Amino acid sequence: MKNLKYLAIAAALAVTPAGAQTVHKIDKAKAQVIVSRDAEGFKDCGIRFIFAENTSERMDIYDMQMSVITEGAATGLITGSRSRTSTADLINLKGAPQPTPGPSPERFWIAKSTDAKPLVPREIIPDSEGRGFLIAFAQIDATVRQIFNVAEGYAMQVMLQYPGQPERVMELTAPLARGDLETLNACLDDLTKRGSIPNSQRNKPASR
């Protein structure tokens, strides 16, 4: 019987893909709309979402933003930062999480959990000041799609990989409040009407 148990474990390990990624479930996440205006109307539109990942040793807080910016040539912009505190300091109330200095993430993607194809930036800009910030540019249509996926409350997976560290895939939901979702829709509608976003790339969700 014991031999059969070991064989079952070995068989399970044999069929597990070598590149398989563990998905870490995030319990707490929150989102808010981001907009800016100029004299002509809306200028930039996006979403900010913050989530915390807890382990037995530490808590990491990620602060991410995805936006469509129109300064110069319109593009998708993704930014992010990570702060950390130890579990012991958290329990003993010894201060807030601190930014984790170091190199920028070398890889990033985001996708709806049920989608095969993620948004992958076309370019990641190294943080020259060593603060570990993510600064990346992406196609507008893919950026708008993922902004709405987050805003509508779909389960999302985010992958970040820092130099010398393994990939880390986290799953979260962070729906916008109804008022924020209406603001986001109005902002992207205005950019579409003004030609900053081609109409074919405007992927508007159903209203709540």
Side-chain angles (χ1 to χ4, degrees):
M1 186 65 124
K2 192 177 289 186
N3 288 337
L4 287 174
K5 180 180 178 182
Y6 292 150
L7 285 171
I9 294 172
L13 291 174
V15 299
T16 301
Q21 297 164 321
T22 300
V23 177
H24 302 271
K25 303 285 186 177
I26 303 299
D27 295 327
K28 295 181 180 179
K30 188 172 183 179
Q32 64 185 98
V33 69
I34 300 171
V35 298
S36 65
R37 294 173 172 84
D38 58 20
E40 302 300 320
F42 287 106
K43 183 180 178 183
D44 305 322
C45 312
I47 191 168
R48 176 187 184 192
F49 53 106
I50 302 172
F51 56 94
E53 183 191 19
N54 293 291
T55 71
S56 59
E57 299 177 349
R58 57 173 170 73
M59 179 179 74
D60 286 344
I61 296 179
Y62 295 87
D63 189 340
M64 310 288 299
Q65 296 186 22
M66 292 190 295
S67 304
V68 173
I69 60 173
T70 60
E71 188 74 28
T75 188
L77 174 67
I78 303 162
T79 62
S81 64
R82 180 178 67 178
S83 300
R84 174 173 290 178
T85 188
S86 69
T87 301
D89 284 350
L90 188 66
I91 292 172
N92 294 311
L93 303 177
K94 289 187 176 180
Q98 298 299 312
T100 53
S104 303
E106 58 187 8
R107 294 182 62 226
F108 165 85
W109 56 251
I110 182 169
K112 193 162 68 168
S113 298
T114 54
D115 286 350
K117 187 175 181 180
L119 179 160
V120 178
R122 66 170 184 265
E123 183 181 13
I124 294 178
I125 308 297
D127 178 12
S128 60
E129 297 184 25
R131 299 163 297 179
F133 288 178
L134 170 68
I135 307 168
F137 295 101
Q139 298 296 325
I140 290 179
D141 55 343
T143 304
V144 170
R145 188 179 307 115
Q146 299 305 337
I147 287 172
F148 277 136
N149 283 340
V150 176
E152 284 286 280
Y154 288 107
M156 304 294 296
Q157 291 183 355
V158 177
M159 191 284 291
L160 285 161
Q161 184 178 23
Y162 291 83
Q165 298 180 22
E167 297 179 354
R168 193 155 192 89
V169 181
M170 295 160 283
E171 185 171 284
L172 61 116
T173 56
L176 280 181
R178 182 169 182 171
D180 278 358
L181 185 58
E182 290 172 352
T183 300
L184 177 64
N185 274 314
C187 184
L188 288 168
D189 279 345
D190 187 56
L191 293 189
T192 303
K193 290 174 184 175
R194 294 166 58 189
S196 298
I197 301 177
N199 194 54
S200 59
Q201 296 180 354
R202 174 71 166 96
N203 186 12
K204 184 175 178 178
S207 299
R208 284 204 214 121

